[in-house]
Amino acid sequence: MYRLILESLLGLRLEVDTLHVAPCLPADWDGFKLSYRCRETLYRIAVTHSGDAEGGTRITLDGVAQDGPGIPVVDDGREHAVEVMLSGRPIEQPLS
């Protein structure tokens, strides 16, 4: 269940040395924060909706914009700040 929530809802997926973030959030969530540990290194991740209608997902690592859709993961024993800004608002889901 933990892995299902982590990968499907929060959209975190580790591939070799890159952490991909592609959340599928409920419409009433503004975002989320979590701490992700890789061996001796801690990543503090904040995901928010930017409110922009366009522009795609923007990711920064320690204040530096990342070119790709992932976060390079290194075991350097430091703490890193990751910001993921999602464009637009989530799509409202109809009630069943």
Side-chain angles (χ1 to χ4, degrees):
M1 197 63 158
Y2 170 80
R3 186 172 175 182
L4 175 71
I5 291 171
L6 193 65
E7 292 180 359
S8 298
L9 178 64
L10 302 183
L12 295 179
R13 183 175 41 87
L14 182 63
E15 284 186 4
V16 188
D17 60 354
T18 302
L19 182 63
H20 296 274
V21 183
C24 182
L25 302 179
D28 58 344
W29 285 26
D30 292 326
F32 64 90
K33 293 181 181 181
L34 67 92
S35 296
Y36 178 82
R37 182 173 295 282
C38 179
R39 296 179 191 82
E40 298 299 317
T41 302
L42 183 64
Y43 291 85
R44 299 219 183 260
I45 302 171
V47 177
T48 58
H49 291 284
S50 69
D52 295 337
E54 298 179 12
T57 300
R58 296 185 309 260
I59 300 174
T60 63
L61 173 62
D62 296 328
V64 178
Q66 301 300 294
D67 292 329
I71 303 158
V73 175
V74 294
D75 185 19
D76 61 6
R78 297 175 40 212
E79 186 173 308
H80 298 279
V82 177
E83 291 184 56
V84 179
M85 283 100 11
L86 307 171
S87 63
R89 296 291 302 164
I91 298 171
E92 294 286 337
Q93 298 296 322
L95 295 175
S96 306

Coordinates of all heavy atoms in Angstrom, one line a residue:
M1 N 0.8 -1.2 0.0 CA 0.0 0.0 0.0 C 0.9 1.3 0.0 O 0.6 2.2 -0.7 CB -0.9 0.0 1.2 CG -2.0 0.9 1.2 SD -3.1 0.4 -0.2 CE -4.6 1.2 0.3
Y2 N 2.0 1.2 0.8 CA 2.9 2.4 0.9 C 3.4 2.7 -0.5 O 3.4 3.8 -1.0 CB 4.0 2.0 1.8 CG 5.1 3.0 1.8 CD1 5.1 4.2 2.5 CD2 6.3 2.7 1.1 CE1 6.1 5.1 2.5 CE2 7.4 3.6 1.1 CZ 7.3 4.8 1.8 OH 8.3 5.7 1.8
R3 N 3.9 1.7 -1.2 CA 4.5 1.9 -2.6 C 3.4 2.4 -3.5 O 3.7 3.2 -4.4 CB 5.1 0.6 -3.1 CG 5.8 0.7 -4.4 CD 6.6 -0.5 -4.7 NE 7.2 -0.3 -6.0 CZ 7.8 -1.2 -6.7 NH1 8.0 -2.4 -6.1 NH2 8.3 -1.0 -7.8
L4 N 2.2 1.9 -3.5 CA 1.1 2.3 -4.3 C 0.9 3.8 -4.1 O 0.7 4.6 -5.1 CB -0.2 1.5 -4.0 CG -1.4 2.0 -4.8 CD1 -1.3 1.6 -6.2 CD2 -2.7 1.4 -4.2
I5 N 0.8 4.3 -2.9 CA 0.6 5.7 -2.7 C 1.8 6.5 -3.1 O 1.6 7.6 -3.8 CB 0.3 6.0 -1.2 CG1 -1.1 5.4 -0.8 CG2 0.3 7.4 -0.8 CD1 -1.4 5.3 0.6
L6 N 3.0 6.1 -2.8 CA 4.2 6.8 -3.1 C 4.3 6.9 -4.6 O 4.6 8.0 -5.1 CB 5.4 6.1 -2.5 CG 6.7 6.8 -2.6 CD1 6.6 8.0 -1.6 CD2 7.8 5.9 -2.1
E7 N 4.1 5.9 -5.4 CA 4.3 5.9 -6.8 C 3.1 6.4 -7.6 O 3.2 7.2 -8.5 CB 4.7 4.5 -7.3 CG 6.0 4.1 -6.8 CD 6.5 2.7 -7.3 OE1 5.7 2.1 -8.0 OE2 7.6 2.3 -7.0
S8 N 1.9 6.0 -7.3 CA 0.7 6.4 -8.0 C 0.2 7.8 -7.7 O -0.1 8.6 -8.6 CB -0.4 5.3 -7.9 OG 0.0 4.1 -8.3
L9 N -0.1 8.0 -6.4 CA -0.6 9.3 -6.0 C 0.4 10.4 -6.0 O 0.2 11.5 -6.6 CB -1.3 9.2 -4.6 CG -1.9 10.4 -4.0 CD1 -3.1 10.9 -4.9 CD2 -2.3 10.2 -2.6
L10 N 1.5 10.2 -5.3 CA 2.5 11.2 -5.1 C 3.5 11.2 -6.3 O 4.2 12.2 -6.5 CB 3.3 11.0 -3.8 CG 2.5 11.0 -2.6 CD1 3.4 10.9 -1.3 CD2 1.6 12.3 -2.5
G11 N 3.5 10.2 -7.1 CA 4.2 10.2 -8.4 C 5.7 10.1 -8.2 O 6.5 10.5 -9.1
L12 N 6.2 9.5 -7.1 CA 7.7 9.4 -7.0 C 8.1 8.0 -7.5 O 7.5 7.0 -7.2 CB 8.1 9.5 -5.5 CG 7.8 10.8 -4.8 CD1 8.2 10.8 -3.4 CD2 8.5 11.9 -5.5
R13 N 9.2 8.0 -8.3 CA 9.7 6.8 -8.9 C 11.2 6.9 -9.0 O 11.7 7.9 -9.7 CB 9.0 6.5 -10.2 CG 9.4 5.3 -10.9 CD 8.6 5.1 -12.2 NE 8.4 6.3 -12.9 CZ 9.2 6.7 -13.9 NH1 10.3 6.1 -14.1 NH2 9.0 7.8 -14.6
L14 N 12.0 6.0 -8.4 CA 13.4 6.1 -8.5 C 13.9 5.1 -9.6 O 13.5 4.0 -9.7 CB 14.0 5.6 -7.2 CG 15.6 5.6 -7.1 CD1 16.1 7.1 -7.3 CD2 16.0 5.0 -5.8
E15 N 14.7 5.7 -10.5 CA 15.3 4.9 -11.6 C 16.8 5.2 -11.6 O 17.2 6.3 -11.9 CB 14.7 5.4 -13.0 CG 13.3 4.8 -13.3 CD 12.9 5.2 -14.7 OE1 13.7 5.7 -15.5 OE2 11.7 4.9 -15.0
V16 N 17.5 4.2 -11.2 CA 19.0 4.2 -11.0 C 19.4 5.4 -10.1 O 19.3 5.2 -8.9 CB 19.7 4.3 -12.4 CG1 21.2 4.1 -12.2 CG2 19.1 3.2 -13.3
D17 N 19.8 6.5 -10.7 CA 20.2 7.6 -9.8 C 19.4 8.9 -10.1 O 19.9 10.0 -9.9 CB 21.7 7.9 -10.1 CG 22.0 8.3 -11.5 OD1 21.1 8.2 -12.4 OD2 23.2 8.6 -11.8
T18 N 18.1 8.7 -10.5 CA 17.2 9.8 -10.8 C 15.9 9.6 -10.1 O 15.3 8.5 -10.3 CB 17.0 10.0 -12.3 OG1 18.3 10.3 -12.9 CG2 16.1 11.2 -12.6
L19 N 15.4 10.6 -9.4 CA 14.1 10.5 -8.8 C 13.1 11.3 -9.6 O 13.3 12.5 -9.8 CB 14.1 11.0 -7.3 CG 12.8 11.0 -6.6 CD1 12.4 9.5 -6.3 CD2 13.0 11.7 -5.2
H20 N 12.1 10.6 -10.2 CA 11.1 11.2 -11.0 C 9.9 11.6 -10.1 O 9.5 10.8 -9.3 CB 10.7 10.3 -12.2 CG 11.8 10.0 -13.1 ND1 12.1 10.8 -14.2 CD2 12.7 9.0 -13.1 CE1 13.1 10.3 -14.8 NE2 13.5 9.2 -14.2
V21 N 9.4 12.8 -10.4 CA 8.2 13.3 -9.6 C 7.1 13.6 -10.6 O 7.3 14.6 -11.4 CB 8.5 14.5 -8.8 CG1 7.3 14.9 -8.0 CG2 9.7 14.2 -7.8
A22 N 6.0 12.9 -10.6 CA 4.9 13.1 -11.5 C 3.6 12.8 -10.8 O 2.9 11.8 -11.0 CB 5.0 12.3 -12.8
P23 N 3.2 13.7 -9.9 CA 2.0 13.5 -9.0 C 0.7 13.5 -9.7 O 0.6 14.2 -10.8 CB 2.1 14.6 -8.0 CG 3.1 15.6 -8.5 CD 3.9 15.0 -9.5
C24 N -0.2 12.8 -9.2 CA -1.6 12.7 -9.7 C -2.5 13.1 -8.5 O -3.0 12.2 -7.8 CB -1.9 11.4 -10.2 SG -3.6 11.2 -10.9
L25 N -2.6 14.3 -8.1 CA -3.2 14.8 -6.9 C -4.7 15.0 -7.0 O -5.2 15.4 -8.0 CB -2.5 16.1 -6.4 CG -1.0 16.1 -6.2 CD1 -0.6 17.5 -5.8 CD2 -0.6 15.0 -5.2
P26 N -5.4 14.7 -5.9 CA -6.8 15.1 -5.9 C -7.0 16.6 -6.1 O -6.1 17.4 -5.7 CB -7.2 14.7 -4.4 CG -6.2 13.7 -4.0 CD -4.9 14.1 -4.7
A27 N -8.1 17.0 -6.6 CA -8.4 18.4 -6.9 C -8.3 19.3 -5.7 O -8.0 20.5 -5.8 CB -9.8 18.5 -7.6
D28 N -8.7 18.8 -4.5 CA -8.7 19.7 -3.4 C -7.3 19.8 -2.6 O -7.3 20.4 -1.6 CB -9.8 19.3 -2.4 CG -9.7 17.8 -1.9 OD1 -9.0 17.0 -2.5 OD2 -10.4 17.5 -0.9
W29 N -6.3 19.2 -3.2 CA -4.9 19.3 -2.6 C -4.2 20.5 -3.3 O -4.2 20.6 -4.5 CB -4.1 18.0 -2.9 CG -4.5 16.8 -2.0 CD1 -5.6 16.6 -1.5 CD2 -3.6 15.8 -1.7 NE1 -5.6 15.4 -0.8 CE2 -4.3 14.8 -1.0 CE3 -2.3 15.5 -2.1 CZ2 -3.8 13.7 -0.5 CZ3 -1.7 14.3 -1.6 CH2 -2.5 13.4 -0.8
D30 N -3.6 21.3 -2.4 CA -2.8 22.4 -3.0 C -1.4 21.9 -3.3 O -0.6 22.5 -4.0 CB -2.7 23.5 -2.0 CG -4.0 24.2 -1.8 OD1 -4.8 24.3 -2.8 OD2 -4.3 24.7 -0.7
G31 N -1.0 20.8 -2.7 CA 0.3 20.2 -2.9 C 0.7 19.3 -1.7 O -0.2 18.9 -0.9
F32 N 1.9 19.0 -1.5 CA 2.4 18.2 -0.4 C 3.9 18.4 -0.2 O 4.6 18.9 -1.0 CB 2.0 16.7 -0.6 CG 2.8 16.1 -1.7 CD1 4.0 15.5 -1.5 CD2 2.2 16.0 -3.0 CE1 4.7 14.8 -2.6 CE2 2.9 15.4 -4.1 CZ 4.1 14.8 -3.8
K33 N 4.3 18.0 1.0 CA 5.7 18.0 1.4 C 6.1 16.6 1.9 O 5.3 16.0 2.6 CB 6.0 19.0 2.5 CG 5.8 20.5 2.0 CD 6.2 21.4 3.1 CE 5.9 22.9 2.6 NZ 6.3 23.8 3.6
L34 N 7.3 16.2 1.6 CA 7.8 14.9 2.2 C 9.3 15.0 2.2 O 9.9 15.8 1.6 CB 7.3 13.7 1.3 CG 7.8 13.6 -0.1 CD1 9.0 12.7 -0.1 CD2 6.7 12.9 -0.9
S35 N 9.8 14.1 3.1 CA 11.2 13.9 3.2 C 11.6 12.5 2.6 O 10.9 11.5 2.9 CB 11.7 13.9 4.7 OG 11.4 15.2 5.2
Y36 N 12.6 12.5 1.7 CA 13.0 11.3 1.1 C 14.5 11.0 1.4 O 15.3 11.9 1.2 CB 12.8 11.4 -0.4 CG 13.2 10.2 -1.2 CD1 12.4 9.1 -1.3 CD2 14.5 10.2 -1.8 CE1 12.8 8.0 -2.1 CE2 14.9 9.1 -2.6 CZ 14.1 8.0 -2.7 OH 14.5 6.9 -3.4
R37 N 14.8 9.9 2.0 CA 16.2 9.6 2.3 C 16.7 8.6 1.3 O 16.1 7.6 1.1 CB 16.3 9.0 3.7 CG 17.7 8.7 4.2 CD 17.8 8.4 5.6 NE 17.5 9.5 6.5 CZ 18.3 10.5 6.8 NH1 19.4 10.6 6.2 NH2 17.9 11.4 7.6
C38 N 17.9 8.9 0.9 CA 18.7 8.0 0.0 C 20.0 7.7 0.7 O 20.9 8.6 0.7 CB 18.9 8.5 -1.4 SG 19.9 7.5 -2.4
R39 N 20.2 6.6 1.4 CA 21.3 6.3 2.2 C 21.6 7.4 3.3 O 20.8 7.5 4.2 CB 22.5 6.0 1.3 CG 22.3 4.8 0.4 CD 23.6 4.6 -0.4 NE 23.3 3.6 -1.5 CZ 22.7 3.8 -2.6 NH1 22.3 5.0 -2.9 NH2 22.5 2.8 -3.5
E40 N 22.6 8.2 3.1 CA 22.9 9.2 4.1 C 22.5 10.6 3.7 O 22.8 11.6 4.4 CB 24.4 9.2 4.4 CG 25.0 7.9 5.0 CD 24.3 7.6 6.3 OE1 24.2 8.5 7.2 OE2 24.0 6.4 6.5
T41 N 21.7 10.7 2.6 CA 21.3 12.0 2.1 C 19.8 12.2 2.2 O 19.1 11.3 1.9 CB 21.7 12.1 0.6 OG1 23.2 11.9 0.5 CG2 21.4 13.5 0.0
L42 N 19.4 13.4 2.6 CA 18.0 13.7 2.8 C 17.5 14.7 1.8 O 18.2 15.7 1.6 CB 17.8 14.2 4.2 CG 16.3 14.5 4.6 CD1 15.5 13.3 4.6 CD2 16.3 15.2 6.0
Y43 N 16.4 14.4 1.1 CA 15.8 15.3 0.2 C 14.5 15.8 0.8 O 13.6 15.0 1.0 CB 15.6 14.6 -1.2 CG 16.9 14.3 -1.9 CD1 17.6 13.1 -1.6 CD2 17.4 15.2 -2.8 CE1 18.8 12.8 -2.3 CE2 18.6 14.9 -3.5 CZ 19.2 13.7 -3.2 OH 20.4 13.5 -3.8
R44 N 14.4 17.1 1.0 CA 13.1 17.7 1.4 C 12.4 18.2 0.2 O 12.8 19.1 -0.5 CB 13.3 18.8 2.4 CG 14.1 18.3 3.6 CD 13.6 19.0 4.9 NE 14.3 18.5 6.0 CZ 13.9 17.6 6.9 NH1 12.8 17.0 6.7 NH2 14.6 17.3 7.9
I45 N 11.3 17.5 -0.1 CA 10.6 17.8 -1.4 C 9.2 18.5 -1.1 O 8.5 18.1 -0.3 CB 10.3 16.5 -2.1 CG1 11.6 15.7 -2.4 CG2 9.5 16.7 -3.4 CD1 11.5 14.3 -2.9
A46 N 9.0 19.6 -1.8 CA 7.7 20.4 -1.7 C 7.1 20.4 -3.1 O 7.8 20.9 -4.1 CB 8.0 21.8 -1.2
V47 N 5.9 19.9 -3.2 CA 5.2 20.0 -4.5 C 4.0 20.9 -4.4 O 3.2 20.8 -3.4 CB 4.7 18.5 -4.9 CG1 3.9 18.6 -6.2 CG2 5.9 17.6 -5.0
T48 N 3.9 21.9 -5.3 CA 2.8 22.9 -5.3 C 2.3 23.1 -6.7 O 3.0 22.8 -7.6 CB 3.3 24.2 -4.7 OG1 4.4 24.7 -5.5 CG2 3.7 24.1 -3.3
H49 N 1.1 23.7 -6.7 CA 0.5 24.1 -8.0 C 0.9 25.5 -8.2 O 0.6 26.4 -7.3 CB -1.0 23.9 -8.0 CG -1.5 22.5 -7.9 ND1 -1.4 21.7 -9.1 CD2 -1.9 21.7 -6.9 CE1 -1.9 20.5 -8.7 NE2 -2.2 20.5 -7.4
S50 N 1.4 25.8 -9.4 CA 1.9 27.2 -9.6 C 0.7 28.1 -10.0 O 0.9 29.3 -9.8 CB 2.9 27.2 -10.7 OG 2.4 26.9 -11.9
G51 N -0.4 27.6 -10.5 CA -1.5 28.4 -10.9 C -1.4 28.9 -12.4 O -2.3 29.3 -13.0
D52 N -0.2 28.7 -13.0 CA 0.0 29.0 -14.4 C -0.7 28.0 -15.2 O -0.8 26.8 -15.0 CB 1.5 29.0 -14.8 CG 2.3 30.0 -14.1 OD1 1.7 31.0 -13.7 OD2 3.5 29.8 -14.0
A53 N -1.4 28.5 -16.3 CA -2.1 27.6 -17.2 C -1.2 26.8 -18.1 O -1.5 25.7 -18.5 CB -3.1 28.4 -18.0
E54 N 0.0 27.4 -18.3 CA 0.9 26.7 -19.2 C 2.3 26.7 -18.6 O 2.5 27.3 -17.5 CB 1.0 27.4 -20.5 CG -0.3 27.4 -21.3 CD -0.2 28.1 -22.6 OE1 0.9 28.5 -23.0 OE2 -1.3 28.4 -23.2
G55 N 3.2 26.0 -19.2 CA 4.6 26.0 -18.7 C 5.1 24.7 -18.3 O 6.3 24.5 -18.1
G56 N 4.2 23.7 -18.0 CA 4.7 22.4 -17.6 C 5.2 22.4 -16.2 O 5.1 23.4 -15.5
T57 N 5.8 21.3 -15.8 CA 6.3 21.1 -14.5 C 7.7 21.7 -14.4 O 8.5 21.5 -15.3 CB 6.4 19.6 -14.1 OG1 5.0 19.1 -14.2 CG2 6.9 19.4 -12.7
R58 N 8.0 22.5 -13.3 CA 9.3 23.1 -13.1 C 9.9 22.5 -11.8 O 9.2 22.4 -10.8 CB 9.2 24.6 -13.0 CG 8.7 25.2 -14.3 CD 8.8 26.8 -14.2 NE 8.1 27.3 -13.0 CZ 6.8 27.8 -13.0 NH1 6.1 27.8 -14.1 NH2 6.3 28.3 -11.9
I59 N 11.1 22.1 -11.9 CA 11.8 21.5 -10.7 C 13.1 22.2 -10.4 O 13.8 22.5 -11.3 CB 12.1 20.0 -11.0 CG1 10.9 19.2 -11.3 CG2 12.9 19.4 -9.8 CD1 11.1 17.8 -11.7
T60 N 13.3 22.5 -9.1 CA 14.5 23.1 -8.7 C 15.1 22.2 -7.6 O 14.4 21.6 -6.8 CB 14.4 24.5 -8.1 OG1 13.6 24.5 -7.0 CG2 13.8 25.5 -9.1
L61 N 16.4 22.1 -7.6 CA 17.2 21.4 -6.6 C 18.2 22.3 -6.0 O 19.0 22.9 -6.7 CB 17.9 20.2 -7.3 CG 18.9 19.4 -6.4 CD1 18.2 18.8 -5.2 CD2 19.6 18.4 -7.2
D62 N 18.0 22.6 -4.7 CA 18.8 23.6 -4.0 C 18.9 24.9 -4.7 O 19.9 25.6 -4.9 CB 20.3 23.0 -3.8 CG 20.3 21.8 -3.0 OD1 19.5 21.7 -2.1 OD2 21.2 20.9 -3.2
G63 N 17.7 25.3 -5.3 CA 17.5 26.6 -5.9 C 18.0 26.7 -7.4 O 17.8 27.7 -8.0
V64 N 18.5 25.6 -7.9 CA 18.9 25.5 -9.3 C 17.9 24.8 -10.2 O 17.5 23.6 -9.9 CB 20.3 24.8 -9.4 CG1 20.8 24.7 -10.8 CG2 21.3 25.5 -8.5
A65 N 17.4 25.4 -11.2 CA 16.4 24.8 -12.1 C 17.0 23.6 -12.8 O 18.2 23.6 -13.2 CB 16.0 25.8 -13.2
Q66 N 16.2 22.5 -12.8 CA 16.6 21.3 -13.5 C 16.1 21.2 -14.9 O 14.9 21.6 -15.1 CB 16.1 20.1 -12.7 CG 16.6 20.1 -11.2 CD 18.1 20.0 -11.1 OE1 18.7 19.0 -11.5 NE2 18.7 21.0 -10.6
D67 N 16.9 20.7 -15.8 CA 16.5 20.7 -17.2 C 15.5 19.6 -17.5 O 14.6 19.8 -18.3 CB 17.7 20.5 -18.1 CG 18.6 21.7 -18.1 OD1 18.1 22.8 -17.9 OD2 19.8 21.5 -18.3
G68 N 15.7 18.4 -16.9 CA 14.8 17.3 -17.2 C 13.7 17.1 -16.2 O 13.5 17.9 -15.3
P69 N 13.0 16.0 -16.3 CA 11.8 15.8 -15.4 C 12.2 15.1 -14.1 O 11.3 14.8 -13.3 CB 10.9 14.9 -16.3 CG 11.9 14.1 -17.1 CD 13.0 15.1 -17.4
G70 N 13.5 14.9 -13.9 CA 13.9 14.2 -12.7 C 14.8 15.0 -11.8 O 15.3 16.0 -12.2
I71 N 15.1 14.4 -10.7 CA 16.0 15.0 -9.7 C 17.2 14.0 -9.6 O 17.1 12.8 -9.3 CB 15.4 15.1 -8.3 CG1 14.1 15.9 -8.4 CG2 16.3 15.6 -7.3 CD1 13.1 15.7 -7.3
P72 N 18.5 14.5 -9.9 CA 19.6 13.6 -9.7 C 19.8 13.3 -8.2 O 19.8 14.2 -7.4 CB 20.8 14.4 -10.3 CG 20.3 15.8 -10.3 CD 18.8 15.8 -10.3
V73 N 19.9 12.0 -7.9 CA 20.1 11.5 -6.5 C 21.5 11.1 -6.3 O 22.1 10.3 -7.1 CB 19.2 10.3 -6.3 CG1 19.4 9.8 -4.9 CG2 17.7 10.7 -6.4
V74 N 22.2 11.7 -5.3 CA 23.5 11.4 -5.0 C 23.6 11.2 -3.5 O 22.8 11.7 -2.7 CB 24.5 12.5 -5.3 CG1 24.6 12.7 -6.8 CG2 24.1 13.9 -4.7
D75 N 24.5 10.3 -3.0 CA 24.7 10.0 -1.6 C 25.9 10.8 -1.1 O 27.0 10.4 -1.0 CB 24.9 8.5 -1.4 CG 25.0 8.2 0.1 OD1 24.5 9.0 0.9 OD2 25.5 7.1 0.4
D76 N 25.6 12.1 -0.9 CA 26.7 13.0 -0.4 C 26.6 13.4 1.1 O 27.3 14.2 1.6 CB 26.8 14.3 -1.3 CG 25.5 15.1 -1.2 OD1 24.6 14.8 -0.4 OD2 25.4 16.1 -2.0
G77 N 25.6 12.8 1.8 CA 25.4 13.0 3.2 C 24.9 14.4 3.6 O 24.8 14.7 4.7
R78 N 24.4 15.2 2.6 CA 23.9 16.5 2.8 C 22.4 16.5 2.8 O 21.8 15.5 2.4 CB 24.5 17.5 1.8 CG 26.0 17.6 1.9 CD 26.6 18.5 0.9 NE 25.8 19.7 0.6 CZ 25.7 20.2 -0.6 NH1 26.4 19.7 -1.6 NH2 25.0 21.3 -0.8
E79 N 21.8 17.6 3.1 CA 20.3 17.8 3.0 C 20.1 18.7 1.8 O 20.7 19.7 1.6 CB 19.8 18.4 4.3 CG 18.3 18.5 4.3 CD 17.7 19.0 5.6 OE1 18.1 18.5 6.7 OE2 17.0 20.0 5.6
H80 N 19.1 18.3 1.0 CA 18.8 19.0 -0.3 C 17.4 19.5 -0.3 O 16.5 18.7 0.2 CB 19.1 18.2 -1.5 CG 20.5 17.8 -1.6 ND1 21.5 18.6 -2.1 CD2 21.2 16.6 -1.3 CE1 22.7 18.0 -2.1 NE2 22.5 16.8 -1.6
A81 N 17.1 20.6 -0.8 CA 15.7 21.2 -1.0 C 15.3 21.0 -2.4 O 16.0 21.5 -3.3 CB 15.7 22.6 -0.6
V82 N 14.2 20.4 -2.6 CA 13.6 20.2 -4.0 C 12.2 20.9 -4.0 O 11.4 20.7 -3.1 CB 13.4 18.7 -4.3 CG1 12.8 18.5 -5.6 CG2 14.8 18.0 -4.2
E83 N 12.0 21.7 -5.0 CA 10.7 22.3 -5.2 C 10.2 21.8 -6.6 O 10.9 21.9 -7.6 CB 10.8 23.8 -5.2 CG 11.1 24.4 -3.9 CD 11.1 25.9 -3.9 OE1 10.1 26.5 -4.3 OE2 12.2 26.5 -3.5
V84 N 9.0 21.3 -6.6 CA 8.3 20.9 -7.8 C 7.1 21.8 -8.0 O 6.2 21.8 -7.1 CB 7.9 19.4 -7.8 CG1 7.2 19.0 -9.1 CG2 9.2 18.6 -7.5
M85 N 7.0 22.6 -9.1 CA 5.9 23.4 -9.3 C 5.1 22.9 -10.5 O 5.6 22.8 -11.6 CB 6.3 24.9 -9.6 CG 6.7 25.7 -8.4 SD 8.5 25.9 -7.9 CE 9.5 25.4 -9.2
L86 N 3.8 22.5 -10.3 CA 3.0 22.0 -11.3 C 2.2 23.1 -11.9 O 1.6 23.9 -11.2 CB 2.0 20.9 -10.7 CG 2.7 19.8 -9.9 CD1 1.6 19.0 -9.2 CD2 3.5 18.9 -10.8
S87 N 2.1 23.1 -13.2 CA 1.3 24.2 -13.8 C -0.2 23.9 -13.7 O -0.6 22.7 -13.7 CB 1.7 24.4 -15.3 OG 1.4 23.2 -16.0
G88 N -1.0 25.0 -13.7 CA -2.4 24.8 -13.6 C -2.9 24.2 -12.3 O -2.2 24.0 -11.3
R89 N -4.2 23.9 -12.3 CA -4.8 23.2 -11.2 C -5.2 21.8 -11.6 O -5.4 21.5 -12.7 CB -6.1 24.0 -10.8 CG -5.9 25.4 -10.3 CD -5.2 25.5 -9.0 NE -6.0 24.7 -7.9 CZ -5.5 24.4 -6.8 NH1 -4.2 24.7 -6.5 NH2 -6.2 23.7 -5.9
P90 N -5.3 20.9 -10.6 CA -5.7 19.6 -11.0 C -7.2 19.6 -11.5 O -8.0 20.4 -11.2 CB -5.7 18.8 -9.6 CG -5.6 19.8 -8.6 CD -5.1 21.1 -9.2
I91 N -7.5 18.6 -12.3 CA -8.8 18.4 -12.9 C -9.7 17.9 -11.9 O -9.5 17.0 -11.1 CB -8.7 17.5 -14.1 CG1 -7.8 18.0 -15.2 CG2 -10.1 17.2 -14.7 CD1 -7.6 17.1 -16.3
E92 N -10.9 18.6 -11.8 CA -11.9 18.2 -10.8 C -12.4 16.8 -11.2 O -12.7 16.6 -12.4 CB -13.1 19.2 -10.8 CG -12.7 20.5 -10.2 CD -12.6 20.5 -8.7 OE1 -13.1 19.6 -8.1 OE2 -11.9 21.4 -8.2
Q93 N -12.5 15.9 -10.3 CA -13.0 14.6 -10.6 C -14.5 14.5 -10.2 O -14.9 15.0 -9.1 CB -12.3 13.5 -9.7 CG -10.8 13.4 -10.1 CD -10.5 13.0 -11.5 OE1 -11.3 12.1 -12.0 NE2 -9.6 13.6 -12.1
P94 N -15.4 14.0 -11.1 CA -16.8 13.9 -10.7 C -17.0 12.9 -9.6 O -16.3 11.9 -9.4 CB -17.5 13.4 -12.0 CG -16.4 12.8 -12.8 CD -15.1 13.4 -12.4
L95 N -18.0 13.2 -8.7 CA -18.3 12.3 -7.7 C -19.1 11.0 -8.2 O -19.9 11.2 -9.1 CB -19.2 13.0 -6.6 CG -18.6 14.1 -5.9 CD1 -19.6 14.8 -5.0 CD2 -17.4 13.6 -5.0
S96 N -18.7 9.9 -7.7 CA -19.4 8.7 -8.2 C -20.6 8.3 -7.5 O -20.7 8.5 -6.3 CB -18.4 7.5 -8.1 OG -17.2 7.8 -8.8

